[in-house]
């Protein structure tokens, strides 16, 4: 291969990961002679339950120059201001909390929240519930959309809910006329060259598709990276127990709130995600703690559904990551690369970050593997940082009603980084500094998120050990903050997606 020329890229898989990666690599290199071809088997199909995103998906569409008006209607998409967690804690006042996507207004309110959390960690009884300090929480509670009137100069950050099947199809229809090749073929084998690099995909009917660079987006099968090249899979099952999901869509029963709901269940949690056409619901659970039949019955009861309609769909989840996302001339992206679990809806976030980081590392190395090790370390750190944040939801849970929750709360199989983060919280260290020291300058989750999680669960000294704030103590004013956020919220329109 000519080292200075962009590669011929072959993407195996036409799920969201395959099309997102194809669009991004085509945009990076297409104008300079690189080619991108997606090979997918419609008969195998896609997982297609991914329905929630982070603000990274907005950045992706902005990067490609695709307007919301063009893609949102095609994908039944709604706005998402954050996630409401309900039932994860039995502590009084902590029955539910909102994990927001932050915006510039929060730069003014977050220091007060952090300050009060620090006092509360030391046992001083001051207001420190996350719902009071972030604009996204106020907007969601008021069913407001995320885009302010023109005269309000503080943009709110947001993500989306969408139909993953329609998202993949939209991207395919956008990408193919712009030069991305598309072959609907089942891949039966992968041909390696004399050095052990991937040379071609061998397809049904005898077709052979050659390339310089291969992207494995074949889903949990990980056909190239794991099955052919033998890349090691690191399971996360020691500290993430959930391995199954049951999915049941329902019609809307009320107005759309632009938030994901995450409700704790007996052996896991369930999501509710509003699309324009329906509500997506799913129960993510541990098969060691509950059977499929029990999980389905529990979800049906929670949703007020009878035993038969609609039909439930069950999914197996392979939770963990590849040791290296980039092996030889193959990049894995999406479920083939790893999956943590959908609690924070981070899967497509990682796909986009992987594709952009890879494009930059590959190109700055002259389209060679010069920067492969650093890239792999960055991606692994990103996965492990997200995993730790998600594990923390289970580890600090304040429920005691089932073995599942008790085992999670007692789980000692934590990473050293997560142990350090929890120690920092319980020993009153400043969380911003601890986060940077433990997870580096670009941590997977900001200090705001750690504060929201710990404070949202009421992870503070118990009520009976709290002391009233002494006179003269500097306490952030929650009433003034609420009033300020309510005033800001008046600049946002009521949300009505259809
Ligand atoms: C329960 C659950 C909930 C989730 N919720 C979210 C969420 O809220 N937010 C989020 O971002 N993500 C979520 N995800 C993850 C999300 O579904 C995936 O990350 C996303 O859909 C990308 O999947 P993928 O493209 O990697 O794989 P898939 O969708 O499985 O696509 C694999 C592709 O490979 C092709 N393929 C496989 N084998 C062959 C072969 N031999 N020949 C040719 N083609 C082949 C298939 O045809 C398909 O096109 C969730 C996942 C699960 C399991």
């Amino acid at each position: 291969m000519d080292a200075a020329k962009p590669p011929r890229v072959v993407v195996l898989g036409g799920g969201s990961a395959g099309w997102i990666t194809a669009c991004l690599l085509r945009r990076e290199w297409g104008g300079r002679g690189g080619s991108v071809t997606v090979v997918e088997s419609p008969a195998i199909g896609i997982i297609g339950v991914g329905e929630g995103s982070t603000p990274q998906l907005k950045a992706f569409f902005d990067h490609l120059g695709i307007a919301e008006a063009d893609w949102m209607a095609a994908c039944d998409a709604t706005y998402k201001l954050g996630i409401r967690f309900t039932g994860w804690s039995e502590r009084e006042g902590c029955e539910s909390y909102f994990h927001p996507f932050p915006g510039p207004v929060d730069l003014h309110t977050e220091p007060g929240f952090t300050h009060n959390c620090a006092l509360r960690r030391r046992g001083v009884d001051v207001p420190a519930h996350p719902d009071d300090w972030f604009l996204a929480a106020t907007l969601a509670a008021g069913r407001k959309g995320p885009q302010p009137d023109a005269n309000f100069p503080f943009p709110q950050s947001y993500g989306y809910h969408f139909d993953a099947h329609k998202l993949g199809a939209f991207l395919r229809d956008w990408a193919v006329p712009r030069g991305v090749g598309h072959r609907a073929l089942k891949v039966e084998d992968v041909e390696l060259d004399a050095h052990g690099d991937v040379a071609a995909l061998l397809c049904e009917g005898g077709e052979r598709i050659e390339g310089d660079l291969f992207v494995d987006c074949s889903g949990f099968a990980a056909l190239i990276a794991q099955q052919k090249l033998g890349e090691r899979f690191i399971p996360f099952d020691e500290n993430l127990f959930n391995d199954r999901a049951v999915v049941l869509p329902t019609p809307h029963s009320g107005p759309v709130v632009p938030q994901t709901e995450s409700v704790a269940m007996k052996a896991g949690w369930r999501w509710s995600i509003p699309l324009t056409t329906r509500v997506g619901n799913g129960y993510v659970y541990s098969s060691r703690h509950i059977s499929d039949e029990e999980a389905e019955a529990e979800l049906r009861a929670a949703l007020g559904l009878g035993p038969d309609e609609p039909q439930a769909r069950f999914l197996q989840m392979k939770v963990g990551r590849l040791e290296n996302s980039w092996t030889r001339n193959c990049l894995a992206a999406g479920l083939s690369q790893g999956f943590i679990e959908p609690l924070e809806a981070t899967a497509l976030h990682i796909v986009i970050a992987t594709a952009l980081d890879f494009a930059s590392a590959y190109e700055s190395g002259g389209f060679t593997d010069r920067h492969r090790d650093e890239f792999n370390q960055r991606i692994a750190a990103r996965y492990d940082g997200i995993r730790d944040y998600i594990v923390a939801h289970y580890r600090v849970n304040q429920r005691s009603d089932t073995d599942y929750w008790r085992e999670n709360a007692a789980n000692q199989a934590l990473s050293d980084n997560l142990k350090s983060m929890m120690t920092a919280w319980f020993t009153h260290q400043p969380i911003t500094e601890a986060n940077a020291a433990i997870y580096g300058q670009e941590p997977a989750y900001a200090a705001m998120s750690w504060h929201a999680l710990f404070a949202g669960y009421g992870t503070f000294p118990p009520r009976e050990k709290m002391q009233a704030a002494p006179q003269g103590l500097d306490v952030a004013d929650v009433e003034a903050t609420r009033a300020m956020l309510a005033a800001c919220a008046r600049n946002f329109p009521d949300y009505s997606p259809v």
Side-chain angles (χ1 to χ4, degrees):
M1 183 180 68
D2 178 349
K5 193 168 166 269
R8 292 171 300 162
V9 182
V10 178
V11 178
L12 167 53
S16 343
W19 285 108
I20 285 174
T21 311
C23 288
L24 288 174
L25 295 185
R26 171 76 194 172
R27 185 181 186 281
E28 295 301 315
W29 301 325
R32 289 181 283 147
S35 70
V36 181
T37 304
V38 174
V39 184
E40 62 159 328
S41 163
I44 292 175
I46 69 169
I47 278 263
V49 274
E51 293 183 325
S53 87
T54 67
Q56 185 86 331
L57 192 63
K58 174 166 169 37
F60 165 78
F61 280 113
D62 289 350
H63 189 70
L64 294 182
I66 301 176
E68 285 183 349
D70 292 335
W71 78 268
M72 285 185 73
C75 301
D76 304 344
T78 65
Y79 290 129
K80 170 180 172 186
L81 289 159
I83 305 175
R84 176 153 294 285
F85 288 86
T86 302
W88 293 72
S89 171
E90 289 171 347
R91 292 251 170 125
E92 191 191 335
C94 297
E95 294 77 15
S96 127
Y97 77 96
F98 192 78
H99 181 200
F101 295 135
V105 167
D106 303 323
L107 294 176
H108 301 280
T109 54
E110 187 188 342
F113 174 52
T114 305
H115 177 73
N116 279 13
C117 281
L119 294 173
R120 193 78 187 254
R121 282 151 72 197
R122 291 185 178 278
V124 185
D125 194 3
V126 294
H129 192 288
D131 287 11
D132 291 325
W133 305 89
F134 295 98
L135 181 57
T138 307
L139 294 175
R143 287 207 297 273
K144 298 278 191 172
Q147 285 158 333
D149 301 337
N151 61 352
F152 188 73
F154 304 107
Q156 174 60 41
S157 140
Y158 60 88
Y160 305 99
H161 305 117
F162 51 88
D163 180 320
H165 278 98
K166 293 185 176 177
L167 184 73
F170 175 88
L171 290 175
R172 180 195 62 215
D173 294 346
W174 185 86
V176 171
R178 288 166 179 77
V180 173
H182 180 215
R183 307 302 310 277
L185 286 170
K186 181 169 181 224
V187 172
E188 292 185 327
D189 202 356
V190 178
E191 181 186 311
L192 303 184
D193 68 15
H195 308 288
D197 288 342
V198 181
L201 302 183
L202 306 177
C203 304
E204 64 189 350
E207 191 159 345
R208 183 174 174 277
I209 300 180
E210 277 186 14
D212 306 312
L213 177 75
F214 291 81
V215 187
D216 185 345
C217 295
S218 62
F220 285 132
L223 285 181
I224 312 179
Q226 206 184 338
Q227 290 195 34
K228 194 69 185 186
L229 298 177
E231 188 55 46
R232 188 165 81 93
F233 182 78
I234 301 173
F236 291 161
D237 53 353
E238 266 200 334
N239 41 31
L240 287 173
F241 300 165
N242 298 340
D243 58 352
R244 301 272 294 163
V246 53
V247 178
L248 281 169
T250 51
H252 283 290
S253 59
V256 168
V257 182
Q259 66 180 15
T260 297
E261 272 190 68
S262 162
V263 182
M265 302 282 274
K266 283 185 186 153
W269 61 279
R270 72 178 165 92
W271 76 78
S272 275
I273 285 183
L275 305 184
T276 54
T277 47
R278 63 177 163 87
V279 181
N281 309 282
Y283 180 2
V284 176
Y285 56 94
S286 157
S287 62
R288 203 156 54 74
H289 295 88
I290 196 170
S291 68
D292 286 351
E293 294 71 27
E294 288 167 322
E296 181 182 342
E298 195 189 347
L299 181 59
R300 283 186 187 282
L303 298 172
L305 294 172
D308 302 322
E309 289 295 324
Q311 221 188 335
R313 179 180 167 211
F314 289 90
L315 294 152
Q316 184 76 33
M317 303 191 302
K318 179 175 151 193
V319 175
R321 68 165 167 87
L322 294 183
E323 185 168 10
N324 297 298
S325 291
W326 179 0
T327 319
R328 295 184 169 275
N329 61 338
C330 171
L331 172 73
L335 296 172
S336 61
Q337 172 192 23
F339 184 56
I340 299 173
E341 76 138 272
L343 188 60
E344 290 280 344
T346 45
L348 295 188
H349 182 108
I350 304 180
V351 171
I352 296 164
T354 296
L356 290 173
D357 191 347
F358 173 79
S360 157
Y362 196 50
E363 180 160 359
S364 68
F367 299 111
T368 71
D369 61 9
R370 193 181 312 155
H371 300 310
R372 190 167 61 194
D373 291 350
E374 300 94 300
F375 167 85
N376 281 330
Q377 279 162 19
R378 281 194 300 277
I379 297 296
R382 185 181 282 271
Y383 264 101
D384 294 351
I386 294 174
R387 176 206 56 201
D388 284 359
Y389 186 68
I390 289 179
V391 169
H393 290 73
Y394 296 101
R395 182 62 174 77
V396 302
N397 91 78
Q398 304 277 343
R399 291 177 64 121
S400 53
D401 52 332
T402 62
D403 284 349
Y404 173 86
W405 291 107
R406 287 189 291 269
E407 277 177 41
N408 268 300
N411 184 14
Q412 295 304 324
L414 309 178
S415 74
D416 289 344
N417 284 347
L418 179 53
K419 284 182 194 157
S420 301
M421 204 64 196
M422 289 174 60
T423 302
W425 179 265
F426 288 111
T427 58
H428 321 306
Q429 295 169 40
I431 292 303
T432 305
E433 286 76 359
N435 197 26
I438 295 165
Y439 292 106
Q441 288 310 314
E442 288 187 37
Y445 280 90
M448 178 281 286
S449 291
W450 287 101
H451 277 100
L453 167 59
F454 286 131
Y457 279 58
T459 313
F460 295 119
R463 277 252 163 234
E464 59 277 14
K465 293 203 173 149
M466 288 275 169
Q467 49 161 317
Q471 278 246 307
L473 184 72
D474 177 21
V475 177
D477 186 343
V478 74
E479 292 305 334
T481 304
R482 278 191 196 130
M484 193 273 272
L485 292 176
C488 289
R490 285 198 277 279
N491 295 284
F492 290 76
D494 292 342
Y495 185 48
S496 164
V498 274

